[in-house]
Amino acid sequence: AKRLERSSFLFYAPEMNQRLQETLELEEALRQALEQEQFLLLYQPKVNLVTGQICGCEALVRWQHAQRGLISPAQFIPLAEETGLIVPLGDWVLRQACAQTCQWRDAGLQPVPVAVNLSARQFRKGDLTQRLQSILQHSGLAAGELELELTESMIMDNPQQAVQIMHELKQLGLSLSLDDFGTGYSSLNYLRRFPVDNLKIDRSFIRDVATDTSGASVVTSIIQIAHNLGLGAVAEGVETRDQLDFLRRCGCDQLQGYLFSKPLPAEDFAALLREGRSL
Ligand code: C2E
Ligand code: CA
Ligand code: CA
Ligand code: CA
């Protein structure tokens, strides 16, 4: 009854009604896009700050829309999450990223681990480890070559259950990163119990390191926390030489950002690997 009341209210509020209509259309389009596999992955290199070599990559999804061109995940991931379509989409991303990495290896390239973003719903769905196991098996990718990026907020929803799931994932042999670190609210007390391998420092902190002393000290502290806990520190969104120099001085382990490369189509990423391009 409550639902009915709400939708009849929407019916009488024209601008809200229009927004609802747009959302419904987008949802339908997303459903079709999934059936027709209108998605593609771009790969952004991660670079080891000591060796300067590419040491991994992050797979980032795009929607190839017939009329609207490439649509960024910010425009459809939230709706996919809300409607549950994120689960089949996320599985597609995982299968595609694993298959692509195997293909690079089969083509004779020195493959690097591939990182995939997991959404909250995917993470909480009960059969996650079984699904991952089957995806790995079908693709032929070793578990050690797959990394999952989780965010603090999806973990802090129910930290105890999350720690349990993370342990299962680690048991499969996967690597785990805590993404957008510093933007959520995980307490240090929990952080110490998370079986993760890397902390990814959010772009918003990296932006200010070369100009703003408080921004710089936040980044220094996160790197220290990571190292004290035996984790790697990864800086995302690195765009300038000054940021790079700062991160080097602080002993940050890996870097990802436009300074080295934007996210690339698979062929272009393969070309970088082939060249052995370094920082
Ligand atoms: P994220 O996981 O924090 O990914 C990093 C984002 O920063 C990417 O945006 C990347 O293109 C962008 N980026 C990388 N280097 C730089 C830089 O130097 N400067 C700037 N300004 N930006 C940089 P993108 O590809 O638009 O993805 C946005 C978000 O969408 C991701 O943020 C992630 O949360 C989500 N996402 C992307 N792919 C997937 C996916 O397959 N599944 C799920 N669940 N989420 C995804
Ligand atoms: Ca990420
Ligand atoms: Ca991130
Ligand atoms: Ca981010």
Side-chain angles (χ1 to χ4, degrees):
K2 212 167 195 168
R3 243 216 176 109
L4 252 172
E5 268 167 40
R6 251 177 99 201
S7 56
S8 52
F9 170 70
L10 287 174
F11 183 76
Y12 291 112
E15 72 284 5
M16 276 182 88
N17 195 19
Q18 196 194 334
R19 214 181 309 151
L20 178 67
Q21 187 60 37
E22 277 169 16
T23 305
L24 288 173
E25 275 169 25
L26 185 62
E27 184 183 340
E28 182 49 34
L30 201 54
R31 230 177 262 285
Q32 276 182 21
L34 250 176
E35 275 167 26
Q36 299 166 9
E37 298 203 8
Q38 292 171 6
F39 294 95
L40 106 141
L41 295 185
L42 299 181
Y43 298 87
Q44 187 177 34
K46 295 182 185 176
V47 185
N48 180 310
L49 268 169
V50 175
T51 66
Q53 303 280 323
I54 298 175
C55 60
C57 65
E58 178 175 7
L60 295 156
V61 73
R62 298 290 181 271
W63 178 0
Q64 286 183 287
H65 195 278
Q67 282 85 42
R68 290 161 59 192
L70 280 195
I71 305 182
S72 82
Q75 291 177 265
F76 63 90
I77 293 282
L79 183 68
E81 177 83 34
E82 226 176 277
T83 54
L85 288 170
I86 193 70
V87 175
L89 174 60
D91 279 3
W92 180 87
V93 170
L94 282 163
R95 282 197 306 273
Q96 184 66 22
C98 292
Q100 183 61 73
T101 306
C102 286
Q103 215 172 302
W104 285 327
R105 187 189 54 204
D106 295 346
L109 290 167
Q110 180 72 44
V112 292
V114 63
V116 170
N117 293 287
L118 224 57
S119 81
R121 258 220 220 206
Q122 262 181 302
F123 181 67
R124 297 283 171 192
K125 200 154 177 292
D127 57 352
L128 176 66
T129 39
Q130 293 92 303
R131 282 198 338 273
L132 275 163
Q133 205 159 21
S134 123
I135 288 169
L136 284 169
Q137 225 156 38
H138 279 98
S139 70
L141 191 75
E145 293 184 273
L146 179 62
E147 176 162 351
L148 299 177
E149 298 196 354
L150 315 171
T151 63
E152 281 173 283
S153 55
M154 69 195 241
I155 291 172
M156 293 311 290
D157 241 18
N158 180 346
Q160 255 165 334
Q161 186 200 26
V163 168
Q164 173 72 32
I165 301 170
M166 287 191 277
H167 277 295
E168 285 176 27
L169 296 173
K170 286 301 297 173
Q171 240 145 38
L172 268 186
L174 304 172
S175 306
L176 301 179
S177 276
L178 208 47
D179 203 355
D180 302 342
F181 188 76
T183 60
Y185 54 99
S186 60
S187 73
L188 294 179
N189 190 36
Y190 268 115
L191 185 58
R192 155 176 94 79
R193 289 187 240 163
F194 295 158
V196 296
D197 304 280
N198 296 299
L199 294 188
K200 290 190 81 175
I201 309 163
D202 193 66
R203 188 167 81 222
S204 56
F205 300 115
I206 303 300
R207 204 167 36 215
D208 307 326
V209 291
T211 48
D212 170 340
T213 48
S214 63
S217 62
V218 170
V219 170
T220 316
S221 309
I222 295 178
I223 294 170
Q224 268 166 10
I225 289 167
H227 289 166
N228 287 341
L229 293 169
L231 314 177
V234 184
E236 67 174 23
V238 181
E239 295 183 350
T240 70
R241 198 77 215 177
D242 286 347
Q243 292 167 345
L244 164 65
D245 293 341
F246 176 85
L247 292 163
R248 267 226 176 92
R249 282 200 302 277
C250 303
C252 186
D253 302 285
Q254 294 177 30
L255 157 169
Q256 188 182 340
Y258 295 169
L259 177 68
F260 186 75
S261 169
K262 291 201 167 179
L264 300 170
E267 317 79 77
D268 299 350
F269 182 72
L272 278 194
L273 281 181
R274 205 170 288 117
E275 277 169 36
R277 189 166 127 202
S278 58
L279 192 66

